Amino acid sequence: MASPPVIARRNNAVRWKLVYFSAITVLFAVAAWRRFSMPQVPLADTDFGYFWPALMKLSGGDFPHMQGLNFLYPGMIYLILRTLGDFRAIAVVQHFLGLIAGALFLASWSGLAHFFPVSRVNRVAHEAMGLIGASIYLLTGTPLLFEMQIRADAVCMFFEMLVLWLLVQFFYHRIIAANLGRSFIYATAVTMAAFLLASLKPSFTLTSLGLVTPVIWLVFNCAGHFREKIVCLGVVVTVILAVTLTERHLRRSDPSVEVFLPRTLFAFHANIIHAQMKEDLQTGNVSSREWLQAACDDLGREMQRTHELYPRAFRRLGFEPDYLAAGGDSVLNRWQRELGKEQFMSFLSHWYWHSLAHRPLAFAQKIARQLGVFYQWKCSAFAVSPLRLAPFYSGSLAALSNPETRRLLALAPGGADFLERSKKLESTRILIPRFKVCNILFARTYLLILLITVPLATWVLLPRNASAERKWPAFFILLFYWANFGNVFGISVVHSMEVGRYSTVLFVSALFAQLWAVRWSLEFFLPSRTGRSA
């Protein structure tokens, strides 16, 4: 017969489970009500490559590859519209994915408790912290607003949490449960999910590579199980090849694919390249001097003009790069007409790499300034969304004002209704729900907690005689923070973090990493407890 203390602990555990699952039920009910009480009319975007392919296919044409964008998200939009014939279904599907991301947040957090077999923080406190984190994610307006947009960012938070959940499951079955069969299944799944995330949003490429590298190493470092390894590799390679070959086939008809990266690299480093052009002209180390002098002067004038037209844009970069690349009769468009496509691409590539070779410090400073947009004392991932919804519908209508877009909407099922509903919502007084206090708290402590926990976690991982029980939770600190850093670093190298959505799309992964850092810090600094966690 069980002793009274044992019975009391069992009763407490039952009561906590009842409270916990009741809280989860209420949380998801409120989160769902917040999402589905909002207008389900999605927000269009000026990057028409996300929805034009679906409109053109539904209007009886082909499914084109546009603006260098991967086909996966436009393909999802096409399937939704083809199946349901209503643009509101786009927001509904994306809201459901947002709710699933919240469930994955809780599941990932709960699974991490297994890596503290003897914990200084009891299980109730651990689960309560996860519930707080999931509440912030589900009730904050930023994810909700993203889910209403017709662009790939709308589903990125779902895929971020899917990858993190699969990672936790893989390490649990590989390290804690020692169930190699299931670990191979999760290794396959996490690799495919990470690949899909990077395909949807190339800025996640470094993040995805960093997250799956330890998974691949543990899979192939495992003795034996040759058949499982071959199956795992075969499934992953098949999926990657299927997506890659489909993308390669579709992008052959997209003229923007080849020139997109050279234009982007040149435009976002134009000030450094301009300085190198001036230096080379002064030293006489140039060919086609007359044309280059005109191009250098033209570039200088256009950069100066961006200061006048967009005085508040891209302050750390120092100029508005999109204006140089595509604004009106942009300088890059003029050069392309003058030089022809091949010579133009050669010109852009030459001056980018030539400037990088001669001014590496300037490039490093540019990267550091862009990293500082995210890694500042008020982390931009937790920026509070504007309160009113009407301005977003005004922007959506502006994106839909293109005559060709209007023509395609008139032909597509539900297109006219989508346009009419968007017009009505332009003057709506609906407010976007916000979780302002928690967002500000996390924003102001993100960098501080990172600077404390990352060195400590590294210190814990270094000694060879440290126990695995101590190393794995510390390893997750580095892994989860990498989920943000890989993305931010990649954008800082190629583009600019001053585009707001590049930070806010990391909201959920930044929240998860910071919350885990707090949880690990409690384990690190609290006095030890006797016995096992509740």
Side-chain angles (χ1 to χ4, degrees):
M1 184 174 179
S3 63
V6 172
I7 294 174
R9 284 197 296 272
R10 288 177 180 173
N11 289 338
N12 287 337
V14 171
R15 281 195 291 269
W16 162 245
K17 287 183 178 179
L18 182 61
V19 171
Y20 179 67
F21 286 108
S22 298
I24 290 175
T25 302
V26 172
L27 170 61
F28 277 87
V30 173
W33 177 81
R34 279 198 168 191
R35 280 161 170 77
F36 297 116
S37 64
M38 298 288 284
Q40 298 307 299
V41 180
L43 297 164
D45 196 273
T46 52
D47 289 336
F48 53 82
Y50 286 118
F51 62 94
W52 265 29
L55 295 183
M56 295 177 77
K57 182 67 174 176
L58 291 168
S59 302
D62 295 326
F63 183 88
H65 193 284
M66 305 181 74
Q67 294 184 317
L69 300 172
N70 186 280
F71 76 95
L72 290 174
Y73 184 79
M76 185 191 87
I77 297 300
Y78 169 72
L79 290 175
I80 292 173
L81 295 178
R82 175 80 182 197
T83 304
L84 301 172
D86 193 326
F87 278 76
R88 289 175 294 178
I90 297 171
V92 171
V93 169
Q94 292 178 169
H95 282 325
F96 271 117
L97 291 178
L99 293 172
I100 294 171
L104 292 173
F105 190 110
L106 284 172
S108 303
W109 187 264
S110 183
L112 287 167
H114 297 292
F115 292 88
F116 293 117
V118 179
S119 177
R120 300 180 183 189
V121 178
N122 65 39
R123 187 63 180 262
V124 171
H126 175 90
E127 299 292 3
M129 288 182 68
L131 195 57
I132 291 170
S135 300
I136 294 171
Y137 167 71
L138 287 169
L139 302 180
T140 300
T142 300
L144 188 155
L145 188 60
F146 266 56
E147 292 160 19
M148 295 177 68
Q149 298 175 6
I150 307 178
R151 59 178 307 121
D153 307 69
V155 298
C156 281
M157 292 193 201
F158 163 75
F159 275 96
E160 289 171 59
M161 282 316 308
L162 177 63
V163 170
L164 291 183
W165 176 72
L166 291 170
L167 272 173
V168 172
Q169 291 299 305
F170 166 77
F171 284 109
Y172 170 76
H173 289 289
R174 179 69 174 81
I175 306 300
I176 305 298
N179 187 328
L180 291 177
R182 288 196 175 186
S183 73
F184 280 113
I185 294 173
Y186 283 110
T188 304
V190 72
T191 305
M192 290 190 296
F195 170 73
L196 291 176
L197 176 60
S199 299
L200 282 165
K201 200 74 176 172
S203 59
F204 282 95
T205 299
L206 280 180
T207 289
S208 296
L209 287 173
L211 295 179
V212 301
T213 296
V215 173
I216 295 171
W217 186 85
L218 283 174
V219 165
F220 287 97
N221 195 48
C222 173
H225 300 275
F226 181 75
R227 185 180 65 180
E228 288 86 348
K229 293 176 183 177
I230 292 297
V231 171
C232 176
L233 182 64
V235 172
V236 169
V237 169
T238 299
V239 171
I240 291 177
L241 282 177
V243 174
T244 303
L245 292 176
T246 303
E247 171 69 10
R248 188 181 182 88
H249 172 73
L250 290 172
R251 70 189 303 172
R252 290 185 303 176
S253 61
D254 187 354
S256 64
V257 169
E258 289 183 77
V259 76
F260 177 78
L261 184 58
R263 286 175 72 100
T264 300
L265 291 172
F266 189 99
F268 280 84
H269 300 86
N271 56 340
I272 304 174
I273 294 171
H274 180 252
Q276 186 61 40
M277 283 181 174
K278 288 178 66 176
E279 181 180 314
D280 285 3
L281 284 165
Q282 290 172 0
T283 60
N285 185 27
V286 293
S287 58
S288 304
R289 181 182 181 85
E290 184 177 345
W291 191 92
L292 183 61
Q293 181 68 64
C296 181
D297 294 342
D298 203 11
L299 182 59
R301 282 193 301 270
E302 291 298 288
M303 283 195 296
Q304 181 59 40
R305 194 177 180 202
T306 68
H307 298 160
E308 301 165 3
L309 295 174
Y310 310 99
R312 297 185 179 181
F314 294 92
R315 291 185 175 182
R316 298 199 184 206
L317 202 60
F319 60 95
E320 219 289 5
D322 291 326
Y323 177 79
L324 301 179
D329 187 22
S330 70
V331 62
L332 294 191
N333 286 339
R334 294 199 300 271
W335 291 351
Q336 185 170 0
R337 289 196 302 268
E338 292 174 16
L339 297 174
K341 181 180 176 182
E342 296 301 324
Q343 192 174 351
F344 173 67
M345 289 177 58
S346 177
F347 173 81
L348 297 183
S349 297
H350 166 77
W351 279 103
Y352 173 79
W353 293 108
H354 178 67
S355 302
L356 177 60
H358 287 80
R359 296 175 179 269
L361 183 59
F363 278 81
Q365 289 172 339
K366 178 259 182 179
I367 294 170
R369 286 193 295 268
Q370 295 305 312
L371 287 171
V373 174
F374 187 87
Y375 294 103
Q376 56 179 309
W377 292 114
K378 189 176 179 182
C379 178
S380 53
F382 301 100
V384 178
S385 301
L387 190 62
R388 295 178 58 244
L389 190 58
F392 292 98
Y393 278 107
S394 296
S396 178
L397 280 171
L400 297 173
S401 63
N402 183 290
E404 181 63 16
T405 303
R406 296 291 182 98
R407 185 187 71 82
L408 291 172
L409 285 173
L411 296 172
D417 181 64
F418 168 52
L419 188 60
E420 188 61 32
R421 290 178 184 274
S422 297
K423 288 178 181 177
K424 291 179 180 178
L425 289 166
E426 188 178 15
S427 57
T428 183
R429 295 185 178 181
I430 295 175
L431 304 181
I432 301 169
R434 300 195 291 179
F435 215 148
K436 188 174 181 179
V437 174
C438 289
N439 280 23
I440 292 174
L441 176 64
F442 274 79
R444 294 187 182 278
T445 57
Y446 181 86
L447 183 61
L448 177 64
I449 293 172
L450 182 152
L451 292 175
I452 294 172
T453 56
V454 167
L456 278 176
T458 305
W459 176 72
V460 169
L461 288 169
L462 287 178
R464 293 191 176 185
N465 57 351
S467 67
E469 291 181 0
R470 294 191 66 200
K471 285 191 172 186
W472 283 112
F475 168 74
F476 286 130
I477 291 284
L478 304 184
L479 194 70
F480 295 153
Y481 272 123
W482 172 262
N484 304 312
F485 179 77
N487 186 292
V488 175
F489 182 74
I491 293 172
S492 298
V493 170
V494 175
H495 209 272
S496 172
M497 284 299 299
E498 292 175 275
V499 179
R501 67 176 182 274
Y502 290 161
S503 291
T504 49
V505 77
L506 298 175
F507 178 89
V508 70
S509 57
L511 174 66
F512 195 87
Q514 187 175 359
L515 200 64
W516 177 250
V518 172
R519 170 68 179 88
W520 181 78
S521 299
L522 293 175
E523 198 70 34
F524 193 86
F525 291 112
L526 286 178
S528 61
R529 299 169 64 242
T530 303
R532 301 178 70 87
S533 60

